[in-house]
Amino acid sequence: MSNLRKGFPVLDRYTYLNTAASGLLHEKVLEFRQEHDLDFLISGSVLKEGQSELLTSVREEVGEAFNCAPNRVGLVPNFSYGFNTLLEGIEKPKKVLLLKNDYPSINWPVESRDFEICYAEINEFLEENIVEALTKEQPEFFAFSIVQYINGIKLSTAFLTQLKKDFPEVIFIADGTQFLGTEAFDFDATGIDVLISSTYKWLNAGYGNGFMLFNKDIEGKVSPKHLGFGSLQGKYKAHEGNFLGKFEPGHQDTLNYGSLGEALKLIKNIGISTIEDQVNILKGQAKKLFTEMNLLEDAVVKRGDHSSIFNIKGDDKLYQYLREKDIIVSQRGEGLRVSFHYFNTEEELEILVKALKAYKG
């Protein structure tokens, strides 16, 4: 277990239960960033002459990690950039299914455009609600988070795969920001049309980098309009009018995308199965303890598989109390959000539980 924590000095200072807000910087990623900028300092444009090879390697690493051919991997600075670019390429008006109170970066951009919108409720019957809405409303698009940012309610990949088989004409657009990096994920097997993810959370890749994964059939169904000199730069964007290039019109930051590449190498070295096993242990124990302490909403308690994100009952005073004990969580929704990643331990869960039991309010 100590090997999983090695390279994250923050863990020596805090009980860090806040990956859902921000992942951590690993020493290996820091080393890359320092060497990159030192090279830029002393080499200038000579460093940038190799930028195409670096970006190509990162694109290929993303594709390998999540089973998507590299010519269908877009490198974008964050989820919102990629999602808004995609939405601008959808001819309107179209009907879109959203989850009520999903992450604002999903719902707000859709609601601000000329789409017809229908909603499915997020509760213990989430899957049934989605099926009912798709059947009744017959939307052309379904945009959603795989894991909910406030309370951690999760849609399983098995459900999404079956859902796409049952509604093949609906275009599925998924946000993987609160999901990717916690368990193995095979993009092509799910049938999802577009998956977009920022990578500063569970992938621990730092800020300013993200990616998009495209189903081979999506090209032609949306028509992005962004273009620039960068649209034709690189191994997988060489031909004019290529689909990927419309998501990458400008310069690509080798510092940030290189950081993503280093973070993915770290995950590969650890092994995604090792990460998944540790996350499963922690989320199972956490749900059991939080349920016994009556800290969770009914919708979470009544569901089966859950993510490693939990929203527990608590107010600003409890938040400040935990911070004074160097326990890092977030205030989200009506409670406190705690989240567990592979570098967390059962001992840290126990530290949190003891603090909660000792709190007098």
Side-chain angles (χ1 to χ4, degrees):
M1 182 63 225
S2 60
N3 288 338
L4 297 182
R5 295 170 66 82
K6 188 177 180 182
F8 294 111
V10 173
L11 301 176
D12 295 327
R13 182 180 180 190
Y14 297 115
T15 301
Y16 193 84
L17 308 177
N18 207 28
T19 300
S22 176
L24 300 178
L25 184 67
H26 192 276
E27 289 174 351
K28 291 287 187 184
V29 180
L30 175 65
E31 288 172 9
F32 164 80
R33 294 172 70 88
Q34 289 177 323
E35 291 173 7
H36 175 282
D37 274 1
L38 179 60
D39 286 344
F40 190 29
L41 179 71
I42 62 178
S43 303
S45 66
V46 176
L47 169 68
K48 292 300 181 179
E49 289 171 4
Q51 95 170 15
S52 178
E53 289 79 8
L54 185 146
L55 295 172
T56 294
S57 70
V58 174
R59 200 184 306 276
E60 291 171 348
E61 284 159 0
V62 172
E64 179 186 356
F66 305 110
N67 191 31
C68 180
N71 66 337
R72 294 186 279 114
V73 176
L75 300 177
V76 293
N78 51 57
F79 170 87
S80 291
Y81 177 90
F83 188 48
N84 278 275
T85 303
L86 186 70
L87 291 179
E88 284 301 301
I90 298 174
E91 185 180 341
K92 304 164 186 66
K94 289 284 193 299
K95 183 181 277 193
V96 182
L97 173 63
L98 301 174
L99 303 182
K100 196 168 186 180
N101 299 318
D102 202 342
Y103 191 51
S105 291
I106 297 173
N107 286 12
W108 290 356
V110 176
E111 292 164 345
S112 71
R113 289 173 167 87
D114 187 24
F115 291 111
E116 184 181 351
I117 302 172
C118 53
Y119 296 91
E121 291 279 351
I122 300 171
N123 55 32
E124 62 264 39
F125 307 111
L126 175 58
E127 289 81 2
E128 293 94 327
N129 298 341
I130 292 170
V131 171
E132 181 181 353
L134 288 170
T135 303
K136 179 182 177 182
E137 300 289 347
Q138 297 187 333
E140 284 123 315
F141 293 82
F142 174 32
F144 60 95
S145 296
I146 296 175
V147 171
Q148 287 300 310
Y149 80 109
I150 289 182
N151 59 13
I153 284 179
K154 172 186 171 187
L155 292 169
S156 73
T157 53
F159 168 74
L160 293 172
T161 301
Q162 185 59 50
L163 193 67
K164 181 62 179 176
K165 289 178 181 176
D166 293 340
F167 299 92
E169 298 306 314
V170 179
I171 294 177
F172 284 32
I173 305 170
D175 175 12
T177 303
Q178 293 288 16
F179 170 71
L180 295 181
T182 62
E183 63 181 66
F185 177 71
D186 185 330
F187 173 73
D188 279 351
T190 66
I192 291 172
D193 295 280
V194 184
L195 183 138
I196 316 171
S197 183
S198 291
T199 57
Y200 66 94
K201 296 180 187 284
W202 303 90
L203 292 169
N204 298 300
Y207 290 77
N209 51 55
F211 56 81
M212 305 180 72
L213 308 179
F214 299 100
N215 185 298
K216 58 183 173 57
D217 299 322
I218 192 63
E219 190 172 348
K221 296 180 180 179
V222 295
S223 302
K225 300 172 180 62
H226 289 191
L227 286 171
F229 185 68
S231 297
L232 296 178
Q233 306 301 309
K235 177 178 177 182
Y236 297 102
K237 302 189 296 175
H239 67 279
E240 187 173 352
N242 72 87
F243 187 68
L244 275 188
K246 294 176 181 178
F247 293 90
E248 303 177 6
H251 76 271
Q252 298 287 72
D253 188 342
T254 49
L255 175 68
N256 287 330
Y257 291 117
S259 298
L260 170 58
E262 291 300 312
L264 290 174
K265 289 175 187 174
L266 179 65
I267 290 173
K268 187 176 180 179
N269 288 337
I270 295 170
I272 191 63
S273 60
T274 299
I275 291 172
E276 185 173 342
D277 288 345
Q278 180 63 11
V279 170
N280 284 341
I281 289 170
L282 290 170
K283 73 180 187 183
Q285 293 187 1
K287 185 176 181 182
K288 179 176 182 292
L289 289 168
F290 294 157
T291 301
E292 291 171 354
M293 297 170 70
N294 192 31
L295 293 174
L296 301 175
E297 60 186 287
D298 287 345
V300 171
V301 174
K302 292 175 181 177
R303 288 177 61 81
D305 186 30
H306 190 76
S307 72
S308 60
I309 300 172
F310 299 89
N311 198 300
I312 62 174
K313 296 173 183 176
D315 55 15
D316 185 63
K317 288 184 178 179
L318 177 57
Y319 173 79
Q320 296 300 334
Y321 169 82
L322 294 176
R323 179 56 65 93
E324 289 168 6
K325 293 185 171 295
D326 291 333
I327 300 172
I328 309 302
V329 301
S330 293
Q331 293 179 283
R332 292 291 186 276
E334 298 179 358
L336 305 183
R337 185 181 65 187
V338 300
S339 47
F340 301 89
H341 207 1
Y342 72 89
F343 46 65
N344 292 124
T345 64
E346 295 166 73
E347 289 75 18
E348 288 179 315
L349 173 58
E350 186 61 29
I351 289 171
L352 173 64
V353 168
K354 285 183 177 178
L356 294 171
K357 289 180 176 178
Y359 177 64
K360 303 302 181 184

